[in-house]
Amino acid sequence: MDGQYEPVESPDETTVFPYHDLTPPTPADVEAAGEVVSEYLPTTPLVRSEPLSAALEADVYLKREDTLPTGAFKVRGGVNLVATLPEEFRERGLVAASSGNHGQSVAWAGREFDVPVTIGVPEAANDDKVREMRRLGAEVIRHGDDYDDAREYIEELAVERQARYVHSGNEPKLLAGVGTAGLEILDELGEIDYLFSPIGGGSSAAGYCLTVGAETDAKIIGAQSEAAPAMYRAWQEDTLAAHERMETMAEGVATRVPFALTMEVLRDDLADFRLVSEDAIKDGVARVFCEDRIVLEGACATAVAAAFQMREELAGQTVVIPVSGRNIEQSKLERILAESDYPG
């Protein structure tokens, strides 16, 4: 085996390979990513939500990342990374661990650029997301109880195959690609006071910090489930230690291990970080489906829940909430709607 690709343990207890650069991207890197991403992906709509604007007494805009080909924002990062993939990895392929949307991103980009892809997912991963990854041509391996179990397994596989391991957060090109959503918001909306972003690994929030946060006076607010508070704890306590508690229904924010690269950006640039209850997440899913007829994943609904936590501060303000993904299991959505008080 060529020792060039032997991994080492990073301070956040994840694996770092020699080709991983943990230098945070700059706003200029996001601008460069915009040139790449715009060749392959459409600009997503930014639309005013009348129901949310009325409920929060604010001007609330939804950034419709759910309209991207994979139904989620992460494909921006996959495109930017794979477009510039070194030739040595194009035959060996890409491997990644995912709860769903990151895997779909890598799978879509791999198909677009004719690079083989293998994704490791937890045993209980969202079946709809697994089906879509396979439809995009990826090999999908189920392993372990949660995302971090799958990640540890897939890191070992990357060493065995000498493939390119694509971390879901510790990837500057991925973060820069994800940040292009913020550039689109800036092109359309001149004044922004608050932007609420879900945080699982933190790539989406970091991208908005590097764009909307860097170019305006807007406050970037992170949101995570109180049942899976690893990144919140990292931000509050300045630690990268793993957190054992991870019981949320929102798989997109379900991680036990903070990410070093995204946390470096968020620690400096995130204005506030809110924990929200599982009930508030379910309420956000039901509210936006019933009133806006938009399907939200639980992860995305954390941002809606955080906005309602801060409703008194938001009155009269201009607020952006990204619809970061629509890939919720049908059965889960049906249960949430059946339990909700919103008229269907």
Side-chain angles (χ1 to χ4, degrees), residues 74 102 147 166-172 174-175 201-203 259 261-262:
K74 284 182 180 284
H102 174 58
Y147 164 79
V166 184
H167 193 280
S168 60
N170 291 336
E171 298 277 3
L174 187 151
L175 295 192
S203 61
F259 296 162
L261 183 59
T262 52

Side-chain angles (χ1 to χ4, degrees), residues 205 215 291 319 334:
E215 296 295 326
E291 296 186 346
V319 179
E334 289 173 348

Side-chain angles (χ1 to χ4, degrees), residues 69-70 74-75 77-79 82 94-96 98 100-119 129-140 166:
T70 61
K74 284 182 180 284
V75 70
V79 166
V82 182
L94 306 167
V95 297
S98 176
N101 286 334
H102 174 58
Q104 289 185 64
S105 162
V106 176
W108 193 91
R111 188 185 68 174
E112 190 73 16
F113 295 98
D114 196 25
V115 178
V117 171
T118 299
I119 307 295
K129 293 180 180 180
V130 169
R131 188 179 309 112
E132 186 59 24
M133 284 185 268
R134 287 179 172 148
R135 184 180 293 131
L136 291 168
E139 174 191 9
V140 181
V166 184

Side-chain angles (χ1 to χ4, degrees), residues 23-325:
T23 304
T26 65
D29 294 325
V30 182
E31 290 281 355
E35 297 295 323
V36 176
V37 170
S38 63
E39 290 186 34
Y40 299 94
L41 297 172
T43 298
T44 61
L46 182 68
V47 295
R48 190 176 190 273
S49 167
E50 298 298 335
L52 288 176
S53 294
L56 293 169
E57 298 182 351
D59 290 319
V60 180
Y61 292 84
L62 301 176
K63 179 61 171 166
R64 297 290 306 275
E65 296 291 272
D66 58 307
T67 62
L68 287 167
T70 61
F73 74 98
K74 284 182 180 284
V75 70
R76 295 175 180 272
V79 166
N80 192 49
L81 188 147
V82 182
T84 56
L85 190 69
E87 192 61 36
E88 64 191 287
F89 291 117
R90 292 187 176 273
E91 185 173 343
R92 296 174 186 172
L94 306 167
V95 297
S98 176
S99 58
N101 286 334
H102 174 58
Q104 289 185 64
S105 162
V106 176
W108 193 91
R111 188 185 68 174
E112 190 73 16
F113 295 98
D114 196 25
V115 178
V117 171
T118 299
I119 307 295
V121 302
E123 291 283 358
N126 180 319
D127 288 332
D128 294 338
K129 293 180 180 180
V130 169
R131 188 179 309 112
E132 186 59 24
M133 284 185 268
R134 287 179 172 148
R135 184 180 293 131
L136 291 168
E139 174 191 9
V140 181
I141 300 172
R142 291 183 182 265
H143 181 87
D145 293 332
D146 58 29
Y147 164 79
D148 290 296
D149 286 341
R151 174 184 55 76
E152 290 167 5
Y153 176 80
I154 213 72
E155 288 167 355
E156 294 176 1
L157 188 65
V159 175
E160 291 175 13
R161 294 184 179 180
Q162 295 291 279
R164 173 59 159 90
Y165 171 55
V166 184
H167 193 280
S168 60
N170 291 336
E171 298 277 3
K173 283 189 175 291
L174 187 151
L175 295 192
V178 165
T180 60
L183 297 180
E184 294 176 5
I185 292 172
L186 292 172
D187 284 344
E188 290 194 52
L189 200 58
E191 183 178 326
I192 307 165
D193 297 304
Y194 289 87
L195 186 145
F196 289 83
S197 178
I199 294 181
S203 61
S204 176
Y208 289 120
C209 285
L210 291 167
T211 52
V212 175
E215 296 295 326
T216 74
D217 293 329
K219 295 179 180 178
I220 310 300
I221 312 295
Q224 189 169 48
S225 170
E226 62 185 18
M231 287 290 281
Y232 175 83
R233 179 186 172 203
W235 187 78
Q236 284 279 6
E237 301 176 14
D238 195 19
T239 178
L240 290 175
H243 195 283
E244 291 306 314
R245 188 175 171 209
M246 210 260 317
E247 304 163 342
T248 180
M249 54 76 71
E251 70 269 12
V253 293
T255 180
R256 288 187 280 110
V257 181
F259 296 162
L261 183 59
T262 52
M263 186 49 62
E264 187 168 346
V265 176
L266 299 179
R267 188 174 288 116
D268 292 337
D269 299 330
L270 201 64
D272 197 3
F273 199 150
R274 295 292 178 121
L275 288 181
V276 299
S277 71
E278 291 290 288
D279 285 344
I281 293 171
K282 293 175 185 177
D283 182 80
V285 171
R287 175 190 291 273
V288 174
F289 180 82
C290 293
E291 296 186 346
D292 280 284
R293 284 298 185 260
I294 296 173
V295 175
L296 300 187
E297 294 181 29
C300 177
T302 63
V304 177
F308 276 89
Q309 269 191 11
M310 297 177 59
R311 63 189 306 165
E312 291 184 7
E313 298 172 51
L314 300 185
Q317 305 294 299
T318 299
V319 179
V320 175
I321 300 175
V323 182
S324 54

